[in-house]
Amino acid sequence: EVQLVESGGGLVQPGGSLRLSCAVSGFTFTSYEMNWVRQAPGKGLEWVSSISSSGSTMSYADSVKGRFTISRDNAKNSLFLQMNSLRVEDTAVYYCARNNPFFDPWGQGTLVTVSS
Amino acid sequence: QSALTQPRSVSGSPGQSITISCTGTSSDVGGYNFVSWYQQHPGKAPKLIIYDVSKRPSGVPDHFSGSKSGNTASLTISGLQAEDEADYYCCSYAGSSLYVFGTGTEVTVL
């Protein structure tokens, strides 16, 4: 069974940092591009970042460029999102998703709350 | 990276057909046949229902269909059912490993 399980969310103050993780199982992780997608409370979906299967190519939405860094550990079937200089508007549920180039499947999401 | 434009809400009676539009530009929807659609029920993760403009993943009912003309993609739900009440999002590849989602449409079954 294909599974994606996010972790690492929580409450952080503006300007702070947080590292999200996504543990993957049930498919050949090294064969797929992976992504982070977020959804602010009561709002729509927003693509955040993608990383190629090898980890050599990363891309970011303008809203997070320069503050967030996507990475992966192919030996541990894991995807990461390092979030620095967090803003109130980064508050959202963050989902990891496999890309093909459509997003499927998705994890259950982890909530990040940026507030003082 | 502007969001694709979708109607805020669409409604229909059981058994009716509805269509949700998704308007972008020649740099995203019009430039690639990589448009996908997602269904999201409250409190749940999104679920893929259409990919590559008009293809249905296995297990997705055939009353969902997708199409594209120019810079606008469309999702049609034929024979609307109560369980189709949800939020729907389109998504398009926008080149250079970038992606953009639509603004989302709330579907109500009357």
Side-chain angles (χ1 to χ4, degrees), chain B residues 84-95:
Chain B
D84 297 331
E85 188 162 288
D87 293 328
Y88 292 81
Y89 296 90
C90 60
C91 181
S92 176
Y93 180 65

Side-chain angles (χ1 to χ4, degrees), chain A residues 90-108:
Chain A
D90 294 320
T91 294
V93 173
Y94 285 73
Y95 296 99
C96 65
R98 186 178 68 178
N99 191 1
N100 204 24
F102 40 86
F103 303 115
D104 179 64
W106 299 59
Q108 85 289 348

Side-chain angles (χ1 to χ4, degrees), chain A residues 30 32-34 50-59 72 74:
Chain A
T30 54
Y32 291 91
E33 179 179 304
M34 296 295 296
S50 289
I51 187 167
S52 62
S53 57
S54 66
S56 60
T57 302
M58 293 80 79
S59 56
R72 63 192 295 162
N74 283 348

Side-chain angles (χ1 to χ4, degrees), chain B residues 49-50 54 56-66 76-79 81:
Chain B
I49 56 172
I50 295 289
S54 60
R56 268 182 297 107
S58 60
V60 172
D62 62 6
H63 68 275
F64 290 100
S65 62
T76 297
I77 309 176
S78 306
Q81 302 173 8

Side-chain angles (χ1 to χ4, degrees), chain B residues 42-108:
Chain B
K44 300 293 187 181
K47 174 190 173 185
L48 176 72
I49 56 172
I50 295 289
Y51 67 97
D52 293 356
V53 175
S54 60
K55 298 176 182 177
R56 268 182 297 107
S58 60
V60 172
D62 62 6
H63 68 275
F64 290 100
S65 62
S67 63
K68 189 185 86 167
S69 178
N71 297 337
T72 298
S74 298
L75 173 72
T76 297
I77 309 176
S78 306
L80 199 60
Q81 302 173 8
E83 56 264 37
D84 297 331
E85 188 162 288
D87 293 328
Y88 292 81
Y89 296 90
C90 60
C91 181
S92 176
Y93 180 65
S96 302
S97 299
L98 303 175
Y99 298 85
V100 59
F101 279 94
T103 50
T105 298
E106 180 182 24
V107 169
T108 301

Side-chain angles (χ1 to χ4, degrees), chain B residues 18-32:
Chain B
I18 62 170
T19 297
I20 301 169
S21 60
C22 168
T23 301
T25 69
S26 58
S27 297
D28 38 62
V29 175
Y32 306 92

